[in-house]
Amino acid sequence: MSKPKPKFEVCVDSVISAIHAENGGASRVELCDNLVEGGTTPSSGMISMVLKRLKIPVMVMIRPRGGDFCYSEEEFEVMCLDIQHVKILGAHGVVFGVLKPDGSVDVERVTKLVEVASPMKVTFHRAFDMTNDPFKALNDIISIGNIQRILTSGCDSTVLEGLEIIVQLVKQAQDQIIIMPGGGIRESNISRILATTYLQEIHVSASTTMPSTMIHKTLNIHMGKAFYNSEYLINAVSGERLMKMIDIASRFTG
């Protein structure tokens, strides 16, 4: 029996990227802000506009800041409030993760967030990759219930490097939860990833660089705090790159 084609979730941080993702064949988008720090909660205006323009499901990142995933009481309350607001706006679901200082899943807090999010869908994000034991973390997340998937790079910098762990996680998860690989997946390596294990869902960025429409350019000032990225180059999803990856993936299914 042939297996269904994997669904592609695309990480986006702008309206134009969301539109390109949908046009390129994405099944769903993960909407974030501040991708340079791995993604934080986008503004209500951004959420509203993306929901207005897209027909495919939108999963919204709930992360009050960059850095680790061990949050203060105030930060946790911000997460609860953001989830409530996202629900009012009408998003399909939310994406979050909370850890304890020892690197284990904070089951109590995650359970609370899942309850606040209901009936929206939930993804446990790559906080999973920072746990002290991914196999125990998987069991903890499954035990909470009402979490549909885990986004993971296999506890390494990229999916290709963490592929052995991903294979083990998929086997352990069985049909209890979806293991969705994400991190460094591109046209040049997706075949190797899909040849190793069957995946129901894949998380990609499929990004490219577009030139700014600015005519006047001030080149001696940089706005970023960490990297001297040009203010006159804009990162956005490439529908063409996404379509190419989807086409490659189709060869591994019936």
Side-chain angles (χ1 to χ4, degrees):
M1 181 181 294
S2 62
K3 296 178 180 178
K5 297 178 182 179
K7 295 180 179 179
F8 276 74
E9 176 182 275
V10 180
C11 181
V12 304
D13 64 349
S14 66
V15 179
I16 190 62
S17 281
I19 293 171
H20 287 177
E22 183 172 66
N23 291 342
S27 298
R28 183 176 64 239
V29 299
E30 178 197 70
L31 179 60
C32 307
D33 191 16
N34 200 18
L35 287 178
V36 72
E37 292 197 77
T40 55
T41 306
S43 71
S44 60
M46 179 66 71
I47 298 168
S48 298
M49 185 57 68
V50 169
L51 289 171
K52 179 179 179 180
R53 295 300 303 270
L54 265 57
K55 294 184 176 67
I56 59 175
V58 177
M59 301 288 292
V60 178
M61 173 67 75
I62 304 295
R63 188 181 177 207
R65 57 164 171 76
D68 64 39
F69 303 99
C70 184
Y71 299 113
S72 68
E73 288 297 328
E74 293 81 6
E75 289 169 335
F76 182 69
E77 183 63 23
V78 168
M79 295 175 76
C80 291
L81 292 171
D82 279 338
I83 290 173
Q84 291 171 7
H85 190 61
V86 168
K87 187 191 299 187
I88 292 170
L89 291 174
H92 178 74
V94 285
V95 182
F96 55 71
V98 185
L99 304 182
K100 292 182 178 180
D102 66 0
S104 62
V105 174
D106 192 329
V107 173
E108 182 178 352
R109 281 181 157 187
V110 173
T111 299
K112 171 64 176 177
L113 294 180
V114 170
E115 291 172 351
V116 175
S118 181
M120 292 190 295
K121 303 299 183 182
V122 174
T123 297
F124 193 99
H125 62 39
R126 286 187 63 196
F128 181 85
D129 292 324
M130 309 301 287
T131 58
N132 57 18
D133 182 342
F135 303 105
K136 181 181 184 303
L138 173 56
N139 286 335
D140 286 341
I141 292 168
I142 290 172
S143 73
I144 293 168
N146 295 318
I147 298 176
Q148 282 67 49
R149 66 188 60 82
I150 296 171
L151 173 61
T152 176
S153 62
C155 303
D156 215 320
S157 297
T158 68
V159 168
L160 205 57
E161 293 169 286
L163 195 52
E164 183 178 340
I165 296 295
I166 288 173
V167 170
Q168 295 178 57
L169 291 169
V170 170
K171 183 177 180 180
Q172 180 179 328
Q174 297 182 353
D175 295 326
Q176 299 175 89
I177 196 168
I178 294 169
I179 302 299
M180 180 172 64
I185 299 177
R186 52 181 60 90
E187 302 93 320
S188 60
N189 60 30
I190 191 170
S191 293
R192 179 176 172 184
I193 293 165
L194 288 168
T196 304
T197 185
Y198 171 68
L199 300 171
Q200 298 180 62
E201 300 183 357
I202 301 171
H203 178 94
V204 300
S205 62
S207 63
T208 189
T209 302
M210 303 189 308
S212 166
T213 57
M214 287 291 295
I215 297 173
H216 169 76
K217 296 180 179 180
T218 303
L219 300 178
N220 63 322
I221 299 175
H222 301 280
M223 300 297 178
K225 68 176 183 179
F227 304 102
Y228 284 160
N229 290 331
S230 172
E231 273 65 54
Y232 304 107
L233 292 175
I234 300 169
N235 289 319
V237 168
S238 165
E240 290 76 14
R241 288 193 64 196
L242 178 58
M243 285 188 282
K244 184 173 181 179
M245 283 189 276
I246 292 173
D247 179 64
I248 293 170
S250 69
R251 304 172 196 170
F252 290 85
T253 57

